[in-house]
Amino acid sequence: MSESPVAICFDMDGVLIQSEDHWVRAQREEILPTAAPNDDIPVSAITGRNYRELYPELATEYDLEISREAFEGLFEEYGETIYGEQATLLDGAHELLDDLRDAGVALALTTSAPWAWIDVADERFDLLSKFDVAISANDIDGPGKPEPDIYEHGAAELGVAPEDCWAVEDSTAGARAAVTAGMTTVGFRGDGDETDLSMVHEIANDAASLRQVLLGGV
C-alpha cells in the first residue's frame, strides 16, 4: 500500500450501498433465465458492469430470446425496487465519508449504475452530498468496467493523477478497472463472497476494517 490517500474513488453497489445480494437474486432467478431460458449464464459474467453494455457480448455466447430493449428494461425495473426499497447503506458510511473529507481527502463516486438509480439511492441515503464529484458509467465516452476509463475520469475530475488516488471496489470487473488505471485498490468483501479480488492491494472484510484501511494512515 502507498502512503495515505489524497483522493479516493468509491464504487457504489456492494460498497456504500448494500445492493449486491438483491441484484444477484434478481439476476439469477429472473433476469438471466428470462433472457436465456436454455442457457445458464453465470451472474459473475455481469457483476459490476454497466448493464447497457452487456447484451451484445452475451448475444455472442448465449441464445438470448428477448430483445436488447427488453433485456435492459428488466434491469431498469428491478433497479427501481432494489434502490427504492431493498438496498441498505453500509454501516457507518456517513461517518467514514465525513471523516475522510475532514482529513482533506477528495472523494469521488464512480459507479456503473445509471443516474436514475444513483438519484433514488441518494434520496434514501443522502449520499451525493458526501462527495466532491459523482460519475456514472453513462457519463463517460468510453467503455465501462473492467476498462479503466471511469477511474481515469474520476481522478481527472478530482484533479489528481490516478497513481495518487485510491479506489474501493467489491467486484472483479471494478477492481480490474481501478488497478488498470494505476490506483491503489482496496477490495471490499462486505458480503463475504468469494469474488476474485486477487489483483487488489488490500482487502477489507467489513465496514470496520474498511475504515481502518482508509483512515489508518490519515
Side-chain angles (χ1 to χ4, degrees), residues 33-48:
T34 299
N38 299 317
D39 285 315
D40 184 16
I41 303 176
V43 172
S44 60
I46 63 177
T47 298

Side-chain angles (χ1 to χ4, degrees), residues 17-204:
I17 301 298
Q18 301 299 287
S19 58
E20 287 300 326
D21 285 348
H22 304 293
W23 272 120
V24 167
R25 187 179 307 110
Q27 291 163 357
R28 180 181 291 138
E29 297 178 4
E30 301 292 339
I31 296 175
L32 295 177
T34 299
N38 299 317
D39 285 315
D40 184 16
I41 303 176
V43 172
S44 60
I46 63 177
T47 298
R49 299 185 57 192
N50 182 352
Y51 72 95
R52 294 180 178 173
E53 294 182 347
L54 295 172
Y55 190 91
E57 180 179 314
L58 293 177
T60 66
E61 296 185 43
Y62 302 100
D63 180 21
L64 301 185
E65 296 194 2
I66 61 175
S67 68
R68 181 170 185 168
E69 181 180 14
F71 179 78
E72 294 177 1
L74 288 171
F75 280 89
E76 290 155 9
E77 176 185 344
Y78 279 100
E80 290 183 15
T81 300
I82 289 172
Y83 296 103
E85 301 173 15
Q86 298 174 334
T88 58
L89 186 68
L90 176 70
D91 287 345
H94 283 175
E95 293 80 3
L96 171 63
L97 297 170
D98 286 342
D99 289 347
L100 286 167
R101 293 192 72 180
D102 288 346
V105 180
L107 301 178
L109 186 69
T110 43
T111 174
S112 295
W115 272 103
W117 298 350
I118 299 170
D119 287 339
V120 171
D122 181 52
E123 185 174 337
R124 287 186 67 201
F125 303 120
D126 185 26
L127 198 59
L128 295 179
S129 66
K130 307 297 181 181
F131 288 90
D132 298 291
V133 297
I135 303 160
S136 163
N138 295 336
D139 295 333
I140 62 173
D141 184 20
K145 303 171 185 179
E147 299 304 316
D149 299 53
I150 192 169
Y151 280 110
E152 294 169 346
H153 190 74
E157 287 289 310
L158 292 175
V160 301
E163 55 266 28
D164 294 325
C165 191
W166 289 20
V168 184
E169 268 288 356
D170 71 306
S171 71
T172 301
R176 285 177 178 159
V179 170
T180 302
M183 293 185 176
T184 296
T185 305
V186 179
F188 184 61
R189 292 197 184 278
D191 56 6
D193 71 9
E194 297 302 316
T195 299
D196 178 14
L197 295 173
S198 59
M199 71 294 293
V200 305
H201 303 90
E202 184 88 9
I203 291 287

Side-chain angles (χ1 to χ4, degrees), residues 4-26:
S4 58
V6 297
I8 301 175
C9 290
F10 279 87
D11 179 40
M12 185 175 79
D13 288 288
V15 178
L16 296 171
I17 301 298
Q18 301 299 287
S19 58
E20 287 300 326
D21 285 348
H22 304 293
W23 272 120
V24 167
R25 187 179 307 110

